[in-house]
Amino acid sequence: MPQTKPQPVQYLADYRPYPFTLAETRLDVTLAPRDTRVRAELDLVPALTGAARDLVLDGGAGLRLLALTIDGVAPSEDHVTRTDERLTIHAAALPRGPFTLATEVAIDPADNTAFEGLYLSGGIFCTQCEAEGFRHITFYPDRPDVMTTFRVTVRSDLPVLLSNGNPVASGDGWAEWHDPWPKPCYLFALVAGDLVAVSDRFTTRSGRPVDLNVWVRPGDQDRAGFAMESLIKSMKWDEEVYGREYDLDVFNIVAVEDFNMGAMENKGLNIFNSKLVLASPETATDTDYERIEAVIAHEYFHNWTGNRITCRDWFQLCLKEGLTVFRDQQFTSDLRSAAVKRVEDVQTLRARQFREDQGPLAHPPRPDRYEEINNFYTATVYEKGAEVIGMLKTLVGDEGYRRALDLYFDRHDGDAATIEDWLKVFEDATGRDLSQFSRWYTDAGTPILEMSETWQDGTLTLTFAQSTPPTPGQPDKPARVIPIAVGLIGPNGDEVVPTRILEMTEARQSFAFDGLGARPVASVLRGFSAPVMVRRDLDDATRAFLLAHDSDPFARWEAGRELALSALTELAQGRDAGADYVEAIGALAADGSADPAFRALCLNLPGEEEIAIRLAAQGITPDPDAIHDARGNLARRMTLTHQELLSDIYDDMAVTGPYSPDADAAARRSLRIASLGLLGRIDGGERAEVLFGIAGNMTERMAALAVLLRLGQGDAALQVLLDQFGGNRLVMDKWFSIQVMAAPPQNAARIARDLAARDDFDWKNPNRFRALLGGLAANHAGFHAADGSGYDFTADWLIRMDAANPQIAARMSTAFETWPRYDAERRAHARAALERIASLEGLSRNTREMVSRMIAAGR
Ligand code: TRP
Ligand code: ZN
């Protein structure tokens, strides 16, 4: 429910340990949609030192307190204070030694539209407790450094009753669970529903048998197999690569339809957004399959990085999220193409994290203040957090990384740890001083790395200058250590100096390579060795040379990307450009020896948002319409020049036989649909029309539909999908989003309004809401329409959503995070929309924090 009272800012510096420890938590939950009873017993032990302290428990206004005792006796009323957010039992009413606090509360899951705490989703009771949802279930010290074992009894007539840990006993209408691993309450979970399981079994390498279940709604079993396969692969991989085994007798995954994020790593009972579990060739795309595999792995990997070792406080969120993202990225690289995965990750990082860093919401991977923690589950904490670990690994080497991680698991198992603990482990394992490195955790902003070079007497000298633009609250930033991976390529295209890591530690620094024959071309920031922006004066011919010859696949792709971006930024400013790009890209597309997925990545032009980021970084005000046209024009030119080649690729890459989501088949399809997208610019949508009609898989059908929609010819195809899949929520989410995403920009907001008026726009469902609003936000020129229609539509719905689900409203408000970069007219519209939201009475803390940070930046 919306919180009306603004909560004071929380500061990292204010951390104090909780003055009690918890020996055990026992819960007895009797489920009923409107009147669930939660009885809790907390075995508390006062800290040994210091004066007697009040017992402060978190607990929202939604808890109806029915009973409260200490060691079986109710404290007198004047020893208990209750506010909207807390329950305090005064020290005077507490024993000096261990005692048991027992409470009983009544809650209303059916009324919970915020999907935080215990709620109902399509008849299934489920919970979401990270970050601070447990306080909506019972009174409790809701902070990650208070850990204990849980014993839970669930009572309900529903057939499947689940909680964390191992099953202990069950009977008619009840089940008891015990989790032997101490955990903070944000990892608590409970599920009850009419569910069916896809089941399997895994034996850990030390011989522990584990029952695996993926629980779904009856009828969805045939779409849960891929999730199960992904789980088994993840369990194996973590044993082989990190030496980490699973530690309970069961591992349960439950898919639910209403979920605020992707998935949640509750101990032994992961809860997933159904879109990250359910997949069949007819309903899911290759990208969906890849995401399912990665997120199943991500949540599973949290069992060690997050659960066995958790965070001391929420400022340390990137300790578990950055590391777990890094691990799931490694997993995907091992299972699929490492080169393709790296390019995909960098693309996401740039589109989301660089964008965040460039705007009013910029913050470091470890922030030191927040108002609402849910607003900090960001690309910076997750994706940049992972990049920072990648740099650490580069600096200490694979061996050093392995030693440090072994030490981390060894030293901190069972702890609620900090970033300082994490860095100390690396220092102790490798002997390296990481004090300068730690700035990556505390300083916001994307460093800009300016490079120049000189050539004399067989010596190539590379000079780098680093600077980081100011971000909110951080005007000046000292130099950071930046690992720059560099290789040198001779004039004939052969590598003359293989990859070497240059460790930059100063604001400005030179590195010399001597004893060279002819002047080589430097390949810089190979593998994207640091999350920085490189500025380098390089002519298009040299970029084309790198695109043709670089042995590092990332750098090769990057050379093509830079060619494309330099052409697109020129074109967007009304200047002609692009000839070199069009020529060079043809050679690459024709290279049949290269991985088709890699060729597809090279054929896909940078998105409009990425072009805007580049222009903004150059101090140029991006014009969304000009960017849209520039991109369309360059794509058309590419296609006209390489028409035959693209047409051959389109035909050659057809995959025959039954659908398989494996990397090779997906790679072929990705190249095929990249060609389709380009050919659609000149063939009037002919191929797309045919493909939509005959394709048996959703990957090709969606790609074809996008082409048709862009041409304004999608109506028939939309109707076909509606007839076929009107009852399938996940497909209908795609149906909603693609229409706005692929709409011609001038129509986008109107189409969004029409869709929002449909009966099946079930806006309280986060996936459906995100499909429509996120679809519009992803249509760069549509969202930023000069008349403000995109902003107004979005603001209307943020206001509506905020009253039901503040987390979703606040998250979606980031559609506005780039508003200060546009022209005066757009800024005026955006500011008006943001101020309209800000002026709302009863606005949630979540949305209020986001909107006020965004407005402040425009002042
Ligand atoms: N910890 C989860 C993950 O990274 C994500 C998460 C955080 C979450 N808060 C949430 C999921 C709220 C759902 C709702 O995997
Ligand atoms: Zn996570």
Side-chain angles (χ1 to χ4, degrees):
M1 286 298 94
Q3 318 245 354
T4 38
K5 251 193 261 157
Q7 164 164 326
V9 180
Q10 312 282 315
Y11 294 97
L12 168 62
D14 288 347
Y15 175 81
R16 299 288 177 278
Y18 196 63
F20 297 82
T21 53
L22 250 176
E24 188 178 72
T25 292
R26 290 177 297 281
L27 299 176
D28 191 315
V29 182
T30 305
L31 294 167
R34 313 245 31 152
D35 185 15
T36 287
R37 299 297 171 96
V38 181
R39 282 189 289 145
E41 290 179 9
L42 280 55
D43 292 340
L44 288 150
V45 185
L48 289 175
T49 51
R53 299 282 301 273
D54 292 352
L55 176 64
V56 181
L57 303 166
D58 300 293
L63 303 180
R64 197 150 57 83
L65 183 59
L66 302 174
L68 166 67
T69 62
I70 292 175
D71 285 338
V73 182
S76 83
E77 261 175 41
D78 46 322
H79 281 141
V80 180
T81 314
R82 187 160 177 202
T83 67
D84 266 2
E85 310 208 348
R86 264 172 287 282
L87 179 74
T88 304
I89 301 159
H90 301 177
L94 300 173
R96 283 309 184 95
F99 61 93
T100 298
L101 171 84
T103 58
E104 181 175 357
V105 300
I107 53 178
D108 185 350
D111 189 43
N112 185 348
T113 56
F115 307 141
E116 191 183 23
L118 177 68
Y119 64 95
L120 268 168
S121 172
I124 303 167
F125 285 93
C126 62
T127 55
Q128 172 54 43
C129 294
E130 188 177 5
E132 298 179 334
F134 196 74
R135 61 187 63 186
H136 301 293
I137 296 175
T138 191
F139 291 103
Y140 204 82
D142 189 357
R143 42 187 286 171
D145 60 341
V146 175
M147 301 166 76
T148 190
T149 56
F150 279 66
R151 210 170 262 289
V152 178
T153 304
V154 189
R155 299 176 199 279
S156 161
D157 292 339
L158 291 161
V160 177
L161 309 175
L162 308 172
S163 190
N164 315 89
N166 296 319
V168 177
S170 60
D172 204 16
W174 63 275
E176 186 185 337
W177 292 79
H178 177 239
D179 185 355
W181 298 103
K183 67 168 178 291
C185 65
Y186 82 86
L187 291 171
F188 168 79
L190 176 155
V191 171
D194 181 8
L195 297 163
V196 290
V198 166
S199 302
D200 212 319
R201 190 156 244 252
F202 183 85
T203 305
T204 68
R205 65 174 182 184
S206 66
R208 176 199 281 273
V210 186
D211 285 328
L212 311 177
N213 300 294
V214 177
W215 297 93
V216 297
R217 307 218 308 193
D220 285 342
Q221 303 92 301
D222 53 336
R223 289 191 289 152
F226 185 76
M228 177 60 84
E229 284 171 35
S230 304
L231 173 61
I232 292 171
K233 285 182 202 159
S234 309
M235 296 179 84
K236 262 206 196 84
W237 187 90
D238 214 14
E239 290 188 349
E240 282 163 10
V241 180
Y242 279 83
R244 297 296 113 200
E245 274 184 54
Y246 190 60
D247 51 9
L248 291 167
D249 305 335
V250 295
F251 189 81
N252 286 309
I253 289 176
V254 181
V256 298
E257 281 174 346
D258 300 284
F259 204 68
N260 283 349
M261 308 252 268
M264 180 63 211
E265 70 263 25
N266 317 300
K267 182 81 187 190
L269 177 52
N270 289 0
I271 301 182
F272 272 64
N273 187 320
S274 57
K275 76 170 176 190
L276 290 165
V277 172
L278 302 178
S280 68
E282 303 75 41
T283 60
T285 63
D286 292 332
T287 313
D288 294 331
Y289 277 97
E290 185 175 329
R291 276 209 72 210
I292 290 171
E293 186 179 87
V295 178
I296 295 265
H298 179 98
E299 304 312 330
Y300 175 72
F301 296 159
H302 267 314
N303 190 54
W304 274 94
T305 52
N307 301 2
R308 290 285 287 258
I309 305 178
T310 192
C311 302
R312 185 192 72 175
D313 53 67
W314 292 120
F315 297 102
Q316 321 294 330
L317 181 58
C318 74
L319 177 74
K320 76 175 176 79
E321 294 305 344
L323 177 54
T324 305
V325 170
F326 183 70
R327 276 151 50 70
D328 83 56
Q329 291 174 345
Q330 289 182 302
F331 168 78
T332 302
S333 328
D334 283 358
L335 260 63
R336 295 165 178 258
S337 154
V340 167
K341 175 63 174 162
R342 188 63 186 139
V343 170
E344 287 171 353
D345 288 341
V346 173
Q347 276 180 313
T348 316
L349 185 82
R350 285 179 173 153
R352 298 185 42 222
Q353 202 279 324
F354 280 22
R355 164 186 155 115
E356 191 163 74
D357 253 352
Q358 225 178 38
L361 300 178
H363 56 276
R366 186 179 66 184
D368 57 10
R369 66 184 64 193
Y370 62 76
E371 281 177 54
E372 169 52 60
I373 185 56
N374 281 304
N375 290 337
F376 284 82
Y377 287 75
T378 60
T380 298
V381 168
Y382 277 65
E383 272 78 35
K384 187 170 181 177
E387 289 300 319
V388 170
I389 292 174
M391 283 189 286
L392 252 184
K393 182 162 180 281
T394 301
L395 290 170
V396 304
D398 291 354
E399 268 310 298
Y401 179 79
R402 179 72 205 228
R403 273 203 311 280
L405 267 285
D406 286 346
L407 182 58
Y408 180 61
F409 293 123
D410 203 45
R411 184 185 283 175
H412 291 294
D413 187 10
D415 287 353
T418 62
I419 290 299
E420 283 71 20
D421 293 330
W422 165 253
L423 289 173
K424 183 77 166 56
V425 153
F426 276 79
E427 292 190 325
D428 292 352
T430 67
R432 241 189 114 98
D433 176 357
L434 291 172
S435 41
Q436 188 187 19
F437 185 84
S438 69
R439 287 177 188 153
W440 280 105
Y441 282 104
T442 56
D443 293 5
T446 308
I448 293 169
L449 200 54
E450 229 151 332
M451 185 189 122
S452 56
E453 52 186 289
T454 58
W455 168 251
Q456 206 182 3
D457 305 329
T459 298
L460 181 74
T461 305
L462 306 181
T463 301
F464 296 92
Q466 60 163 300
S467 62
T468 305
T471 51
Q474 293 187 335
D476 309 303
K477 335 243 178 184
R480 313 177 187 189
V481 51
I482 301 179
I484 310 170
V486 173
L488 301 183
I489 302 164
N492 65 352
D494 289 347
E495 185 151 275
V496 291
V497 173
T499 306
R500 172 185 300 181
I501 307 296
L502 311 179
E503 281 183 31
M504 182 181 191
T505 55
E506 313 285 325
R508 188 186 170 80
Q509 211 168 336
S510 296
F511 301 88
F513 296 82
D514 52 19
L516 298 165
R519 178 172 185 162
V521 176
S523 161
V524 176
L525 208 72
R526 285 184 155 180
F528 198 66
S529 59
V532 301
M533 292 192 188
V534 177
R535 279 206 196 137
R536 175 184 187 188
D537 221 347
L538 205 60
D539 56 36
D540 283 357
T542 312
R543 294 200 195 283
F545 173 84
L546 287 171
L547 175 62
H549 300 292
D550 206 315
S551 66
D552 179 77
F554 173 80
R556 201 171 167 210
W557 170 82
E558 179 80 324
R561 198 69 165 182
E562 284 298 314
L563 266 178
L565 276 169
S566 83
L568 288 163
T569 49
E570 288 296 298
L571 288 166
Q573 295 172 82
R575 291 188 288 270
D576 186 38
D580 290 292
Y581 172 70
V582 168
E583 192 188 314
I585 211 67
L588 194 124
D591 178 1
S593 69
D595 175 0
F598 185 76
R599 288 156 75 198
L601 285 172
C602 294
L603 273 182
N604 289 331
L605 286 173
E608 293 171 29
E609 172 66 28
E610 194 179 334
I611 302 167
I613 290 173
R614 174 59 60 96
L615 286 166
Q618 294 172 350
I620 298 159
T621 301
D623 173 347
D625 300 316
I627 291 174
H628 181 77
D629 292 343
R631 192 168 178 276
N633 290 337
L634 186 59
R636 196 163 312 109
R637 209 150 116 200
M638 273 166 77
T639 316
L640 287 168
T641 311
H642 302 300
Q643 196 168 344
E644 259 172 66
L645 170 65
L646 291 167
S647 175
D648 288 347
I649 291 175
Y650 178 74
D651 295 336
D652 292 349
M653 289 296 138
V655 184
T656 51
Y659 175 91
S660 155
D662 70 83
D664 289 341
R668 294 175 63 87
R669 277 188 294 270
S670 71
L671 180 54
R672 184 163 205 235
I673 63 183
S675 320
L676 177 77
L678 289 166
L679 289 163
R681 306 253 176 202
I682 62 168
D683 74 358
E686 205 181 297
R687 289 179 184 79
E689 196 91 47
V690 174
L691 184 63
F692 183 85
I694 61 169
N697 66 81
M698 197 47 118
T699 307
E700 288 178 322
R701 288 187 102 185
M702 277 292 146
L705 178 57
V707 169
L708 296 173
L709 287 167
R710 222 172 39 220
L711 296 167
Q713 301 168 15
D715 290 351
L718 287 170
Q719 189 60 47
V720 169
L721 278 186
L722 186 62
D723 293 343
Q724 192 179 352
F725 293 112
N728 182 313
R729 299 174 73 124
L730 297 178
V731 176
M732 285 305 286
D733 290 337
K734 296 185 199 302
W735 188 87
F736 271 85
S737 71
I738 197 168
Q739 293 188 60
V740 250
M741 226 155 46
Q746 67 277 13
N747 302 338
R750 183 186 49 75
I751 292 175
R753 263 188 211 283
D754 291 349
L755 287 169
R758 289 176 58 95
D759 285 346
D760 54 359
F761 181 56
D762 170 15
W763 63 272
K764 288 185 182 167
N765 172 258
N767 290 358
R768 190 59 51 90
F769 184 82
R770 259 191 302 257
L772 186 63
L773 278 288
L776 180 60
N779 187 329
H780 181 257
F783 177 70
H784 294 289
D787 61 2
S789 54
Y791 301 152
D792 288 344
F793 173 80
T794 303
D796 291 348
W797 278 101
L798 291 180
I799 287 168
R800 189 145 178 201
M801 181 54 106
D802 191 61
N805 187 330
Q807 274 186 39
I808 295 293
R811 189 156 277 275
M812 191 52 68
S813 76
T814 58
F816 284 98
E817 77 183 322
T818 58
W819 77 277
R821 69 153 89 115
Y822 295 94
D823 53 87
E825 194 191 337
R826 286 183 169 86
R827 281 206 310 271
H829 284 303
R831 177 194 293 280
L834 287 168
E835 279 173 352
R836 182 153 66 88
I837 301 171
S839 71
L840 223 76
E841 195 144 332
L843 195 67
S844 69
R845 176 168 77 213
N846 307 55
T847 304
R848 178 167 309 288
E849 180 188 24
M850 296 298 273
V851 170
S852 59
R853 280 159 75 200
M854 288 191 275
I855 291 175
R859 294 245 156 79

